[in-house]
Amino acid sequence: GYLVLDRKGTVREVNNFACRMLEVSKTDLLNNKFTAFIAPRSHADFSSHRREVLGSEEIRSRELLIFGFKRGPFWVKMSSVRCPHGMRLSMTDISGLKRMEQELYLHSEMLRRVGDSVAAIDARGNIIYWNDTCTRVYGWQRQEVLGRKLVELVEPQVSREQNAEIRAKIKRAEQWSLELPVRRKDGTAFTAEVTCTPIKDNTGALVAVVGIARDVTERKKAEQFKDEFISLVSHELRSPLSVIKGALKMVIMEDGMSPGETREMLLES
């Protein structure tokens, strides 16, 4: 949209596109204050923008929230320059871009604050994303790891067969999960449950791999304790039966008892 405002902010010229953006007629715009179409939260920004434009020969730009008659508030990028009458300005609707920015921000915040470690690498294995949980778990700050090789930092211990399987799944853009030992910045190791998802662009080229990792050290300890406890209990339960069985065999052998006499003895016991 294109408009010309005088030094008092009154609309003196306007094109049809600006009228369509604001959903009003030229009659509604001409000879009226343009501030009537500026959202209250952007009034101060617009006033500052006008002062900058009127006091300079350069083109000035500002993102402002304005009103459409039916659609309500929406974002525009306003580029303005001083002219003999006041200021000449053009408006570009950036409401879609602002929504995308907001969605990206929300997604970024969710990933940053999630309880699991979330990291992403590009096609060359360089770290391009590292959330706050990664910092807490591995000890590396975000600014220390961005652009570095992930495998050189956490040193995942994978076998040749596992490595080949992982590469094959990445090539097929398949998600994969694995438990493997990894290393912290201080050199200590722990077991991580890792789930990775390859990301491809619309041409099918690999652009990133997003990984979610969880420290399962305590879970592994609990599983080991449970297995040892079950083994111990099973052994203890089997031991008395083995003793009884052995004693009975000795009695039978020494007394020369028949099977029928053995059954009778057990029933009387």
Side-chain angles (χ1 to χ4, degrees):
Y2 168 84
L3 303 97
V4 174
L5 310 183
D6 64 19
R7 290 184 172 273
K8 294 182 179 180
T10 302
V11 179
R12 297 305 181 189
E13 293 180 33
V14 60
N15 70 353
N16 291 330
F17 193 79
C19 292
R20 288 198 297 271
M21 286 181 69
L22 299 171
E23 300 172 311
V24 294
S25 67
K26 284 188 177 183
T27 305
D28 294 323
L29 273 171
L30 289 172
N31 302 315
N32 287 307
K33 296 289 188 182
F34 186 66
T35 50
F37 297 92
I38 303 293
R41 61 179 288 186
S42 287
H43 276 177
D45 286 338
F46 180 65
S47 297
S48 174
H49 179 66
R50 280 183 59 207
R51 288 193 298 269
E52 290 177 359
V53 172
L54 295 175
S56 172
E57 298 290 340
E58 299 177 357
I59 297 175
R60 302 284 183 170
S61 297
R62 187 74 65 98
E63 292 181 358
L64 299 168
L65 192 63
I66 66 174
F67 276 109
F69 182 70
K70 294 180 180 178
R71 69 187 290 193
F74 64 99
W75 285 96
V76 299
K77 181 178 181 181
M78 186 176 293
S79 298
S80 310
V81 65
R82 191 173 71 183
C83 69
H85 301 291
M87 60 185 286
R88 184 182 296 113
L89 62 90
S90 66
M91 298 183 301
T92 304
D93 187 343
I94 59 169
S95 51
L97 179 62
K98 297 295 284 188
R99 282 194 298 270
M100 289 178 59
E101 288 179 351
Q102 181 67 14
E103 290 174 3
L104 287 172
Y105 172 77
L106 291 174
H107 292 162
S108 176
E109 282 298 291
M110 286 189 290
L111 288 174
R112 190 172 69 85
R113 299 174 184 273
V114 74
D116 293 334
S117 301
V118 181
I121 58 174
D122 61 19
R124 293 172 295 179
N126 298 321
I127 298 172
I128 56 176
Y129 182 81
W130 186 264
N131 76 346
D132 291 352
T133 306
C134 282
T135 296
R136 290 195 297 270
V137 171
Y138 295 97
W140 295 94
Q141 296 295 324
R142 185 178 295 107
Q143 61 271 21
E144 294 180 291
V145 303
L146 292 179
R148 297 180 63 179
K149 298 287 186 184
L150 179 64
V151 294
E152 294 176 358
L153 294 180
V154 301
E155 300 178 18
Q157 304 299 307
V158 294
S159 65
R160 182 177 300 177
E161 293 77 12
Q162 288 173 325
N163 186 52
E165 183 181 355
I166 290 170
R167 288 180 178 274
K169 286 182 178 292
I170 291 176
K171 188 175 181 179
R172 296 192 299 267
E174 294 178 2
Q175 187 182 79
W176 56 271
S177 297
L178 191 66
E179 287 186 4
L180 67 165
V182 292
R183 197 167 298 279
R184 300 183 181 91
K185 183 180 180 180
D186 63 8
T188 58
F190 68 95
T191 302
E193 180 183 68
V194 182
T195 299
C196 290
T197 304
I199 307 295
K200 292 190 175 185
D201 62 16
N202 55 8
T203 68
L206 180 70
V207 292
V209 177
V210 178
I212 301 175
R214 180 177 300 170
D215 185 347
V216 294
T217 304
E218 294 304 317
R219 192 191 76 190
K220 300 294 285 184
K221 287 181 179 179
E223 289 175 353
Q224 182 181 357
F225 175 79
K226 182 184 72 174
D227 292 342
E228 291 175 351
F229 177 76
I230 291 173
S231 177
L232 177 63
V233 170
S234 298
H235 175 72
E236 293 298 323
L237 288 174
R238 286 196 302 268
S239 294
L241 294 177
S242 299
V243 172
I244 294 171
K245 185 178 179 181
L248 286 173
K249 283 184 176 180
M250 290 179 64
V251 170
I252 292 169
M253 290 174 62
E254 290 178 359
D255 296 345
M257 297 173 66
S258 67
E261 291 172 329
T262 304
R263 286 196 299 270
E264 186 178 344
M265 183 188 73
L266 289 173
L267 291 172
E268 290 176 354
S269 301

PDB file of all heavy atoms in Angstrom, residues 215-234:
ATOM      1  N   ASP A 215      19.058 -39.924  30.124  1.00  0.00           N
ATOM      2  CA  ASP A 215      19.982 -40.652  30.996  1.00  0.00           C
ATOM      3  C   ASP A 215      19.214 -41.792  31.673  1.00  0.00           C
ATOM      4  O   ASP A 215      18.291 -41.561  32.449  1.00  0.00           O
ATOM      5  CB  ASP A 215      20.565 -39.696  32.043  1.00  0.00           C
ATOM      6  CG  ASP A 215      21.630 -40.352  32.905  1.00  0.00           C
ATOM      7  OD1 ASP A 215      21.750 -41.596  32.874  1.00  0.00           O
ATOM      8  OD2 ASP A 215      22.344 -39.623  33.633  1.00  0.00           O
ATOM      9  N   VAL A 216      19.579 -43.038  31.338  1.00  0.00           N
ATOM     10  CA  VAL A 216      18.875 -44.193  31.911  1.00  0.00           C
ATOM     11  C   VAL A 216      19.777 -44.958  32.871  1.00  0.00           C
ATOM     12  O   VAL A 216      19.545 -46.136  33.143  1.00  0.00           O
ATOM     13  CB  VAL A 216      18.363 -45.123  30.785  1.00  0.00           C
ATOM     14  CG1 VAL A 216      17.291 -44.435  29.969  1.00  0.00           C
ATOM     15  CG2 VAL A 216      19.508 -45.597  29.890  1.00  0.00           C
ATOM     16  N   THR A 217      20.786 -44.300  33.417  1.00  0.00           N
ATOM     17  CA  THR A 217      21.717 -44.959  34.334  1.00  0.00           C
ATOM     18  C   THR A 217      20.993 -45.544  35.534  1.00  0.00           C
ATOM     19  O   THR A 217      21.196 -46.704  35.904  1.00  0.00           O
ATOM     20  CB  THR A 217      22.792 -43.962  34.804  1.00  0.00           C
ATOM     21  OG1 THR A 217      23.457 -43.403  33.669  1.00  0.00           O
ATOM     22  CG2 THR A 217      23.806 -44.659  35.697  1.00  0.00           C
ATOM     23  N   GLU A 218      20.130 -44.733  36.171  1.00  0.00           N
ATOM     24  CA  GLU A 218      19.419 -45.206  37.361  1.00  0.00           C
ATOM     25  C   GLU A 218      18.458 -46.337  36.999  1.00  0.00           C
ATOM     26  O   GLU A 218      18.299 -47.286  37.772  1.00  0.00           O
ATOM     27  CB  GLU A 218      18.650 -44.043  38.006  1.00  0.00           C
ATOM     28  CG  GLU A 218      19.543 -42.961  38.579  1.00  0.00           C
ATOM     29  CD  GLU A 218      20.534 -43.507  39.593  1.00  0.00           C
ATOM     30  OE1 GLU A 218      20.118 -44.343  40.428  1.00  0.00           O
ATOM     31  OE2 GLU A 218      21.712 -43.117  39.551  1.00  0.00           O
ATOM     32  N   ARG A 219      17.824 -46.231  35.828  1.00  0.00           N
ATOM     33  CA  ARG A 219      16.916 -47.302  35.413  1.00  0.00           C
ATOM     34  C   ARG A 219      17.675 -48.596  35.196  1.00  0.00           C
ATOM     35  O   ARG A 219      17.221 -49.680  35.581  1.00  0.00           O
ATOM     36  CB  ARG A 219      16.196 -46.901  34.128  1.00  0.00           C
ATOM     37  CG  ARG A 219      15.029 -47.823  33.785  1.00  0.00           C
ATOM     38  CD  ARG A 219      14.531 -47.564  32.393  1.00  0.00           C
ATOM     39  NE  ARG A 219      15.431 -48.142  31.392  1.00  0.00           N
ATOM     40  CZ  ARG A 219      15.358 -47.930  30.099  1.00  0.00           C
ATOM     41  NH1 ARG A 219      14.442 -47.104  29.627  1.00  0.00           N
ATOM     42  NH2 ARG A 219      16.199 -48.499  29.250  1.00  0.00           N
ATOM     43  N   LYS A 220      18.878 -48.496  34.583  1.00  0.00           N
ATOM     44  CA  LYS A 220      19.686 -49.678  34.355  1.00  0.00           C
ATOM     45  C   LYS A 220      20.132 -50.305  35.681  1.00  0.00           C
ATOM     46  O   LYS A 220      20.164 -51.526  35.817  1.00  0.00           O
ATOM     47  CB  LYS A 220      20.905 -49.333  33.501  1.00  0.00           C
ATOM     48  CG  LYS A 220      20.582 -48.768  32.116  1.00  0.00           C
ATOM     49  CD  LYS A 220      19.906 -49.789  31.231  1.00  0.00           C
ATOM     50  CE  LYS A 220      20.879 -50.820  30.725  1.00  0.00           C
ATOM     51  NZ  LYS A 220      20.231 -51.774  29.784  1.00  0.00           N
ATOM     52  N   LYS A 221      20.460 -49.448  36.658  1.00  0.00           N
ATOM     53  CA  LYS A 221      20.838 -49.958  37.983  1.00  0.00           C
ATOM     54  C   LYS A 221      19.665 -50.684  38.634  1.00  0.00           C
ATOM     55  O   LYS A 221      19.838 -51.744  39.247  1.00  0.00           O
ATOM     56  CB  LYS A 221      21.306 -48.804  38.866  1.00  0.00           C
ATOM     57  CG  LYS A 221      22.670 -48.238  38.509  1.00  0.00           C
ATOM     58  CD  LYS A 221      23.049 -47.116  39.463  1.00  0.00           C
ATOM     59  CE  LYS A 221      24.424 -46.547  39.122  1.00  0.00           C
ATOM     60  NZ  LYS A 221      24.780 -45.421  40.043  1.00  0.00           N
ATOM     61  N   ALA A 222      18.467 -50.099  38.512  1.00  0.00           N
ATOM     62  CA  ALA A 222      17.276 -50.721  39.093  1.00  0.00           C
ATOM     63  C   ALA A 222      16.985 -52.058  38.424  1.00  0.00           C
ATOM     64  O   ALA A 222      16.625 -53.039  39.093  1.00  0.00           O
ATOM     65  CB  ALA A 222      16.080 -49.776  38.947  1.00  0.00           C
ATOM     66  N   GLU A 223      17.155 -52.114  37.088  1.00  0.00           N
ATOM     67  CA  GLU A 223      16.928 -53.369  36.373  1.00  0.00           C
ATOM     68  C   GLU A 223      17.937 -54.429  36.797  1.00  0.00           C
ATOM     69  O   GLU A 223      17.588 -55.597  36.971  1.00  0.00           O
ATOM     70  CB  GLU A 223      17.015 -53.126  34.867  1.00  0.00           C
ATOM     71  CG  GLU A 223      15.846 -52.328  34.303  1.00  0.00           C
ATOM     72  CD  GLU A 223      16.025 -52.005  32.833  1.00  0.00           C
ATOM     73  OE1 GLU A 223      17.127 -52.299  32.295  1.00  0.00           O
ATOM     74  OE2 GLU A 223      15.096 -51.456  32.222  1.00  0.00           O
ATOM     75  N   GLN A 224      19.200 -53.998  36.977  1.00  0.00           N
ATOM     76  CA  GLN A 224      20.231 -54.944  37.404  1.00  0.00           C
ATOM     77  C   GLN A 224      19.938 -55.464  38.809  1.00  0.00           C
ATOM     78  O   GLN A 224      20.070 -56.660  39.086  1.00  0.00           O
ATOM     79  CB  GLN A 224      21.599 -54.266  37.373  1.00  0.00           C
ATOM     80  CG  GLN A 224      22.750 -55.199  37.754  1.00  0.00           C
ATOM     81  CD  GLN A 224      24.095 -54.485  37.724  1.00  0.00           C
ATOM     82  OE1 GLN A 224      24.173 -53.313  37.369  1.00  0.00           O
ATOM     83  NE2 GLN A 224      25.146 -55.187  38.097  1.00  0.00           N
ATOM     84  N   PHE A 225      19.509 -54.554  39.714  1.00  0.00           N
ATOM     85  CA  PHE A 225      19.170 -54.955  41.086  1.00  0.00           C
ATOM     86  C   PHE A 225      18.011 -55.947  41.075  1.00  0.00           C
ATOM     87  O   PHE A 225      18.021 -56.945  41.791  1.00  0.00           O
ATOM     88  CB  PHE A 225      18.798 -53.721  41.914  1.00  0.00           C
ATOM     89  CG  PHE A 225      18.312 -54.048  43.298  1.00  0.00           C
ATOM     90  CD1 PHE A 225      19.200 -54.370  44.306  1.00  0.00           C
ATOM     91  CD2 PHE A 225      16.949 -54.044  43.585  1.00  0.00           C
ATOM     92  CE1 PHE A 225      18.752 -54.680  45.585  1.00  0.00           C
ATOM     93  CE2 PHE A 225      16.495 -54.349  44.848  1.00  0.00           C
ATOM     94  CZ  PHE A 225      17.392 -54.666  45.857  1.00  0.00           C
ATOM     95  N   LYS A 226      16.994 -55.697  40.238  1.00  0.00           N
ATOM     96  CA  LYS A 226      15.830 -56.579  40.161  1.00  0.00           C
ATOM     97  C   LYS A 226      16.248 -57.962  39.671  1.00  0.00           C
ATOM     98  O   LYS A 226      15.825 -58.983  40.231  1.00  0.00           O
ATOM     99  CB  LYS A 226      14.789 -55.981  39.216  1.00  0.00           C
ATOM    100  CG  LYS A 226      13.513 -56.806  39.094  1.00  0.00           C
ATOM    101  CD  LYS A 226      12.563 -56.211  38.078  1.00  0.00           C
ATOM    102  CE  LYS A 226      13.082 -56.427  36.667  1.00  0.00           C
ATOM    103  NZ  LYS A 226      12.102 -55.987  35.638  1.00  0.00           N
ATOM    104  N   ASP A 227      17.103 -57.980  38.625  1.00  0.00           N
ATOM    105  CA  ASP A 227      17.547 -59.268  38.085  1.00  0.00           C
ATOM    106  C   ASP A 227      18.344 -60.052  39.121  1.00  0.00           C
ATOM    107  O   ASP A 227      18.171 -61.277  39.273  1.00  0.00           O
ATOM    108  CB  ASP A 227      18.403 -59.052  36.836  1.00  0.00           C
ATOM    109  CG  ASP A 227      17.599 -58.504  35.672  1.00  0.00           C
ATOM    110  OD1 ASP A 227      16.358 -58.617  35.708  1.00  0.00           O
ATOM    111  OD2 ASP A 227      18.213 -57.940  34.736  1.00  0.00           O
ATOM    112  N   GLU A 228      19.222 -59.358  39.861  1.00  0.00           N
ATOM    113  CA  GLU A 228      20.025 -60.026  40.880  1.00  0.00           C
ATOM    114  C   GLU A 228      19.150 -60.535  42.017  1.00  0.00           C
ATOM    115  O   GLU A 228      19.376 -61.625  42.554  1.00  0.00           O
ATOM    116  CB  GLU A 228      21.092 -59.068  41.407  1.00  0.00           C
ATOM    117  CG  GLU A 228      22.175 -58.737  40.381  1.00  0.00           C
ATOM    118  CD  GLU A 228      23.152 -57.688  40.889  1.00  0.00           C
ATOM    119  OE1 GLU A 228      22.880 -57.111  41.971  1.00  0.00           O
ATOM    120  OE2 GLU A 228      24.173 -57.442  40.207  1.00  0.00           O
ATOM    121  N   PHE A 229      18.140 -59.736  42.385  1.00  0.00           N
ATOM    122  CA  PHE A 229      17.247 -60.133  43.475  1.00  0.00           C
ATOM    123  C   PHE A 229      16.441 -61.370  43.086  1.00  0.00           C
ATOM    124  O   PHE A 229      16.306 -62.321  43.866  1.00  0.00           O
ATOM    125  CB  PHE A 229      16.300 -58.975  43.804  1.00  0.00           C
ATOM    126  CG  PHE A 229      15.289 -59.298  44.871  1.00  0.00           C
ATOM    127  CD1 PHE A 229      15.663 -59.353  46.205  1.00  0.00           C
ATOM    128  CD2 PHE A 229      13.970 -59.575  44.537  1.00  0.00           C
ATOM    129  CE1 PHE A 229      14.738 -59.658  47.186  1.00  0.00           C
ATOM    130  CE2 PHE A 229      13.033 -59.882  45.510  1.00  0.00           C
ATOM    131  CZ  PHE A 229      13.421 -59.924  46.846  1.00  0.00           C
ATOM    132  N   ILE A 230      15.915 -61.382  41.849  1.00  0.00           N
ATOM    133  CA  ILE A 230      15.136 -62.524  41.380  1.00  0.00           C
ATOM    134  C   ILE A 230      16.005 -63.767  41.328  1.00  0.00           C
ATOM    135  O   ILE A 230      15.584 -64.877  41.716  1.00  0.00           O
ATOM    136  CB  ILE A 230      14.529 -62.229  39.998  1.00  0.00           C
ATOM    137  CG1 ILE A 230      13.443 -61.162  40.124  1.00  0.00           C
ATOM    138  CG2 ILE A 230      13.950 -63.489  39.377  1.00  0.00           C
ATOM    139  CD1 ILE A 230      12.896 -60.683  38.789  1.00  0.00           C
ATOM    140  N   SER A 231      17.246 -63.605  40.869  1.00  0.00           N
ATOM    141  CA  SER A 231      18.172 -64.739  40.802  1.00  0.00           C
ATOM    142  C   SER A 231      18.458 -65.294  42.192  1.00  0.00           C
ATOM    143  O   SER A 231      18.477 -66.511  42.404  1.00  0.00           O
ATOM    144  CB  SER A 231      19.463 -64.294  40.129  1.00  0.00           C
ATOM    145  OG  SER A 231      20.408 -65.339  40.112  1.00  0.00           O
ATOM    146  N   LEU A 232      18.655 -64.367  43.158  1.00  0.00           N
ATOM    147  CA  LEU A 232      18.938 -64.796  44.530  1.00  0.00           C
ATOM    148  C   LEU A 232      17.755 -65.525  45.135  1.00  0.00           C
ATOM    149  O   LEU A 232      17.904 -66.591  45.754  1.00  0.00           O
ATOM    150  CB  LEU A 232      19.298 -63.572  45.374  1.00  0.00           C
ATOM    151  CG  LEU A 232      19.555 -63.843  46.872  1.00  0.00           C
ATOM    152  CD1 LEU A 232      20.771 -64.757  47.036  1.00  0.00           C
ATOM    153  CD2 LEU A 232      19.774 -62.531  47.627  1.00  0.00           C
ATOM    154  N   VAL A 233      16.545 -64.966  44.963  1.00  0.00           N
ATOM    155  CA  VAL A 233      15.347 -65.589  45.523  1.00  0.00           C
ATOM    156  C   VAL A 233      15.110 -66.957  44.894  1.00  0.00           C
ATOM    157  O   VAL A 233      14.775 -67.929  45.574  1.00  0.00           O
ATOM    158  CB  VAL A 233      14.119 -64.668  45.306  1.00  0.00           C
ATOM    159  CG1 VAL A 233      12.825 -65.405  45.657  1.00  0.00           C
ATOM    160  CG2 VAL A 233      14.254 -63.417  46.146  1.00  0.00           C
ATOM    161  N   SER A 234      15.297 -67.036  43.565  1.00  0.00           N
ATOM    162  CA  SER A 234      15.108 -68.323  42.880  1.00  0.00           C
ATOM    163  C   SER A 234      16.072 -69.366  43.405  1.00  0.00           C
ATOM    164  O   SER A 234      15.708 -70.534  43.602  1.00  0.00           O
ATOM    165  CB  SER A 234      15.317 -68.132  41.374  1.00  0.00           C
ATOM    166  OG  SER A 234      14.371 -67.234  40.847  1.00  0.00           O
TER     167      SER A 234
END
